[in-house]
Amino acid sequence: TVTQLGSELILDQTRSQAVVQVADQIKAQAGNIGLEFEKLAELMADLKSIDAQLDSPRPKTVIVKECLRSIKETLEGRGLDDSLAKISGLLGE
C-alpha cells in the first residue's frame, strides 16, 4: 500500500516516514544514474529541501510535494521505475 500525501498543511508521521523511504532510495541511486552535473545538483537540492522539511517540527506538505514533482521530472527516463512509481504514489498521480 502506497501512502499518499494529502492536502493537509502539515505532514503526519506516517507520511513523513514514507517520504524518507523514497528519498533514501533515490539518494542511494543518485550517483549511478548518469545525470549531468546541473541535473544532479538540482536533484540534491530537492532532496536537501525535503530533508529540511522533515527536520522541521511542522513539515509542510506543499513544499515536499513540489520537491517530489521536481525529482520525478529529473528522474524520468533514467530507468528508475520503482522510485518513480513510489513518487507518483505519494503524489497521488
Side-chain angles (χ1 to χ4, degrees), residues 17-67:
Q17 192 56 46
V19 171
V20 166
Q21 289 175 344
V22 173
D24 286 349
Q25 181 178 351
I26 292 166
K27 287 176 195 170
Q29 299 167 321
N32 303 319
I33 53 176
L35 288 175
E36 50 278 5
F37 180 78
E38 264 186 32
K39 285 288 189 186
L40 184 59
E42 181 181 354
L43 176 65
M44 298 315 292
D46 288 330
L47 289 167
K48 285 180 187 172
S49 296
I50 288 174
D51 285 344
Q53 282 303 309
L54 296 177
D55 285 343
S56 166
R58 292 171 45 88
K60 315 308 180 286
T61 303
V62 68
I63 295 172
V64 172
K65 279 180 158 181
E66 286 309 313
C67 290

